[in-house]
Amino acid sequence: MSATDRTATPVQGTDDAETPMLRIRDLAVTFRTDDGPVEAVRGIDLDVRRGEVLALVGESGSGKSVTAMAVLSLLPATAKRTGSIELDSRELTSLTEAELNGVRGKEISMVFQEPMTALNPSMRIGDQIAEALLNHGVGTKQEAARRAVELLARVGIPEPERRAAGYAHEMSGGQRQRVVIAIALACEPKLIIADEPTTALDVTVQAEILDLIRELAHSSGTSFLLVTHNMGVVADIADRVAVMYRGEMVEHGTAMQVLREPNADYTKRLLDAVPRLPEGGETVPPAGEPDSTGPGGVALPVPVLSLRESSVTYRKAGKSFTALDQVSIDIAAGEILGLVGESGSGKSTLGKVALGLAPTSGGELRLFGEKLGRGGLRGRAERRLRGRVGAIFQDPGSSLDPRTTVGEAIAEPLVVHRAVRPMSGRDRAARVRELLEAVELPASYASRFPHELSGGQRQRIGLARAIALEPELIIADEPTSALDVSVQAAVLRVLRELQERMDFACLFISHDLAVVHEFSHRVAVMHEGRIVELGATDDVLLRPQHPYSQRLLASVPVPDPVAQRERRVARLAARSAA
């Protein structure tokens, strides 16, 4: 079976190939909490065969990551695990910690969602890969160093010798994820557990990582237990799919069966929540036009954000890198401009420029018609102007101070800009209650801490904080990339309703092109620090003109195994022809 046909049919082969390599029976995991025991997983039966990719899907809190972590006993001390987990008929639940350390990395490896937290920033890349070999007594230091370079080349890292001597911060997100996969492959394990390995990656890099996983499973017989909420990824790479809901398995089968003919109502709801780009020939309702008039119908010709020939250049060790290269762009009042592009394209840098977090090295920046930077507003006048701009960040967990309550986090802009909008403590508390209501959360959440909330709830807190000062412009940098599809849909609905009610403009930065299509009036495509295409959403995302935009669209996975296989074959053929 070719690598491109893996999702076309169920895995077939010899009796040995059909024998489960990983066998889980009646798995249950219960957490001890101050409020009593919480049963996170119960009654899970799961098999992973040799050389197959099994996708474990479900929304946040479904138990999929807990199930994956239970395999290698990576659960916290508050967890109690029962049931059976066998690897090639060897019971893992009865192993000592020392025996488990012999399994971890050698027979079963992990690939985590965020490679920067999985890599040691103070160690060279080659040393981290070699460490995985030396920990299991595989070869000498010199042999491990050579093997590290070979593994970097195997996972598609250019100039592997030079990269082996470098550090994680010198690599892109996609390259760092390849390094994590190289570490996972070091001891040639039987099984790799990949927990959301492509969530933080743009579509082109995601496609490359999926191609790599597919090739590894096909060529080396490595099995993958893939934990993900991205149904397009499942359609692209999975042989079989297991769907979890509230700690239980509600459906399992081949990718073809589960994605095209789901039986469980929950699976159907999950698939319905997946944002999709319209297919060719499908009629597309026109996007609502942004409001271009003020009170009394007076025209508002001045953009809320305007960049003219703006550049950002970073210098280090005598070398310079241009992150933003003479970019010119306007955002009108009430307009949502989607900004897309792969990692390193400059889209987040553009957002930082708008927020005043990245100084420009050339060009002009205007907010609400007022010039900022060289020869523009400074000090109190600039701070007053920036009070009209809100921000929503990618990771709702890291953007909230874990030591402050939800109410304090939401009130922070009101405190920082109290000179612009003076309020008493009582008024601020009332405003916090209003904002919680606006994002559909109970007022009682004001006394909670971020760790007591789910990812979707934390992102709603981020929305509430962003609109606290009733901004006229919001910079949203990947606001839903860390959320599963059902939570993402809920957060986007709240954001859309807030935008319609408050009529703020929005720079919506995202690598999810289907979400951008649903949410934006216009779209700008960035590549290597420049805007290569800009226009109406349907024109750019359904009828792209620039070759890079076309490649970007071709890399978007769709949650249909048949359609996705056709897209993948066409994409690989186009890449070979180029």
Side-chain angles (χ1 to χ4, degrees), residues 562-575:
V562 174
Q564 180 55 28
R565 185 173 67 250
E566 294 172 353
R567 290 172 63 86
R568 184 171 65 248
V569 170
R571 175 174 56 82
L572 294 174
R575 188 169 67 186

Side-chain angles (χ1 to χ4, degrees), residues 123-169:
M123 283 183 69
R124 298 182 188 276
I125 293 298
D127 292 340
Q128 296 190 60
I129 301 174
E131 183 180 51
L133 293 161
L134 296 173
N135 284 344
H136 291 284
V138 180
T140 64
K141 285 187 177 180
Q142 292 76 15
E143 290 169 340
R146 285 196 299 271
R147 177 64 175 155
V149 174
E150 293 172 2
L151 285 164
L152 287 175
R154 185 180 181 188
V155 297
I157 297 289
E159 302 178 272
E161 294 88 353
R162 182 175 69 84
R163 289 298 191 178
Y167 295 89
H169 72 271

Side-chain angles (χ1 to χ4, degrees), residues 3-63:
T4 57
D5 287 336
R6 287 186 57 80
T7 57
T9 60
V11 175
Q12 300 292 335
T14 64
D15 291 340
D16 182 64
E18 291 298 318
T19 302
M21 182 262 298
L22 179 72
R23 186 176 184 271
I24 299 174
R25 289 295 178 270
D26 200 26
L27 175 67
V29 177
T30 302
F31 289 93
R32 186 176 64 255
T33 72
D34 293 339
D35 298 325
V38 174
E39 198 173 24
V41 166
R42 55 192 172 276
I44 298 300
D45 293 340
L46 198 65
D47 292 338
V48 181
R49 303 165 186 160
R50 288 171 177 79
E52 82 164 345
V53 179
L54 173 66
L56 193 58
V57 303
E59 60 189 339
S60 297
S62 64

Side-chain angles (χ1 to χ4, degrees), residues 191-380:
L191 171 68
I192 293 178
I193 300 173
D195 191 358
E196 302 282 8
T198 64
T199 294
L201 304 178
D202 60 73
V203 290
T204 52
V205 178
Q206 174 180 268
E208 293 171 1
I209 296 298
L210 294 179
D211 288 342
L212 173 62
I213 292 175
R214 188 182 304 104
E215 189 274 330
L216 290 170
H218 177 68
S219 63
S220 64
T222 305
S223 300
F224 283 84
L225 177 58
L226 177 69
V227 179
T228 184
H229 64 251
N230 189 323
M231 292 301 186
V233 168
V234 173
D236 193 13
I237 198 172
D239 297 302
R240 291 188 300 123
V241 183
V243 183
M244 292 190 67
Y245 178 58
R246 294 186 176 180
E248 296 183 335
M249 194 78 68
V250 297
E251 186 165 2
H252 68 273
T254 67
M256 191 75 68
Q257 293 165 348
V258 174
L259 296 183
R260 301 201 86 187
E261 298 177 358
N263 291 318
D265 290 338
Y266 173 71
T267 307
K268 295 173 184 177
R269 294 199 305 271
L270 206 60
L271 289 168
D272 288 342
V274 177
R276 292 172 170 83
L277 286 169
E279 299 294 328
E282 188 175 335
T283 58
V284 183
E289 291 298 322
D291 185 9
S292 60
T293 61
V298 178
L300 294 174
V302 178
V304 295
L305 174 68
S306 179
L307 276 72
R308 287 291 174 270
E309 303 294 326
S310 294
S311 298
V312 173
T313 302
Y314 297 106
R315 290 180 174 82
K316 179 183 178 182
K319 297 182 180 179
S320 61
F321 168 72
T322 301
L324 212 62
D325 190 3
Q326 297 185 327
V327 169
S328 296
I329 199 167
D330 292 333
I331 302 180
E335 177 184 33
I336 302 172
L337 177 67
L339 187 62
V340 302
E342 60 191 351
S343 299
S345 63
K347 57 185 188 296
S348 289
T349 300
L350 196 156
K352 290 178 181 178
V353 167
L355 290 169
L357 300 177
T360 57
S361 51
E364 181 180 276
L365 166 65
R366 288 182 180 271
L367 276 178
F368 312 106
E370 298 287 349
K371 184 178 179 182
L372 302 180
R374 298 181 186 86
L377 296 181
R378 297 278 189 175
R380 182 176 297 177

Side-chain angles (χ1 to χ4, degrees), residues 81-160:
R81 179 191 61 183
T82 60
S84 171
I85 303 174
E86 293 182 357
L87 180 69
D88 282 338
S89 302
R90 183 188 186 190
E91 182 61 54
L92 299 183
T93 61
S94 61
L95 299 184
T96 65
E97 188 65 19
E99 290 171 332
L100 276 171
N101 285 335
V103 174
R104 295 171 182 147
K106 188 173 184 180
E107 297 185 67
I108 304 177
S109 291
M110 284 285 302
V111 175
F112 296 97
Q113 176 176 346
E114 178 46 66
M116 268 311 269
T117 60
L119 296 173
N120 187 332
S122 63
M123 283 183 69
R124 298 182 188 276
I125 293 298
D127 292 340
Q128 296 190 60
I129 301 174
E131 183 180 51
L133 293 161
L134 296 173
N135 284 344
H136 291 284
V138 180
T140 64
K141 285 187 177 180
Q142 292 76 15
E143 290 169 340
R146 285 196 299 271
R147 177 64 175 155
V149 174
E150 293 172 2
L151 285 164
L152 287 175
R154 185 180 181 188
V155 297
I157 297 289
E159 302 178 272

Side-chain angles (χ1 to χ4, degrees), residues 303-501:
V304 295
L305 174 68
S306 179
L307 276 72
R308 287 291 174 270
E309 303 294 326
S310 294
S311 298
V312 173
T313 302
Y314 297 106
R315 290 180 174 82
K316 179 183 178 182
K319 297 182 180 179
S320 61
F321 168 72
T322 301
L324 212 62
D325 190 3
Q326 297 185 327
V327 169
S328 296
I329 199 167
D330 292 333
I331 302 180
E335 177 184 33
I336 302 172
L337 177 67
L339 187 62
V340 302
E342 60 191 351
S343 299
S345 63
K347 57 185 188 296
S348 289
T349 300
L350 196 156
K352 290 178 181 178
V353 167
L355 290 169
L357 300 177
T360 57
S361 51
E364 181 180 276
L365 166 65
R366 288 182 180 271
L367 276 178
F368 312 106
E370 298 287 349
K371 184 178 179 182
L372 302 180
R374 298 181 186 86
L377 296 181
R378 297 278 189 175
R380 182 176 297 177
E382 181 181 358
R383 287 196 298 274
R384 184 181 296 271
L385 199 68
R386 292 202 178 279
R388 297 160 66 182
V389 182
I392 307 170
F393 298 100
Q394 176 174 356
D395 186 348
S398 62
S399 64
L400 297 173
D401 188 336
R403 299 166 298 180
T404 64
T405 65
V406 163
E408 290 168 336
I410 295 174
E412 185 178 18
L414 302 172
V415 174
V416 171
H417 294 281
R418 56 185 175 273
V420 178
R421 188 167 180 171
M423 276 189 178
S424 66
R426 180 178 296 179
D427 289 340
R428 278 200 297 272
R431 177 63 175 156
V432 167
R433 289 193 295 270
E434 290 176 7
L435 291 166
L436 284 169
E437 183 180 337
V439 297
E440 300 178 3
L441 289 176
S444 61
Y445 276 38
S447 60
R448 295 193 180 189
F449 287 87
H451 73 272
E452 298 177 295
L453 307 180
S454 69
Q457 289 170 336
R458 286 196 293 264
Q459 195 58 291
R460 290 187 187 217
I461 300 304
L463 295 183
R465 185 172 59 177
I467 64 172
L469 291 168
E470 299 180 351
E472 298 165 57
L473 170 65
I474 284 183
I475 310 299
D477 191 359
E478 300 280 9
T480 62
S481 68
L483 306 178
D484 62 67
V485 288
S486 54
V487 176
Q488 172 182 269
V491 170
L492 285 173
R493 177 184 57 77
V494 172
L495 181 57
R496 185 182 296 107
E497 290 173 357
L498 289 171
Q499 195 276 334
E500 290 173 352
R501 185 163 72 246

Side-chain angles (χ1 to χ4, degrees), residues 519-555:
F519 197 66
S520 305
H521 299 112
R522 290 191 301 147
V523 174
V525 182
M526 291 202 70
H527 181 52
E528 296 182 347
R530 291 178 173 269
I531 291 179
V532 297
E533 190 160 357
L534 173 65
T537 299
D538 286 350
D539 290 339
V540 174
L541 295 185
L542 303 185
R543 297 173 289 275
Q545 301 300 309
H546 194 276
Y548 173 73
S549 303
Q550 293 168 356
R551 291 202 305 275
L552 203 63
L553 267 295
S555 300

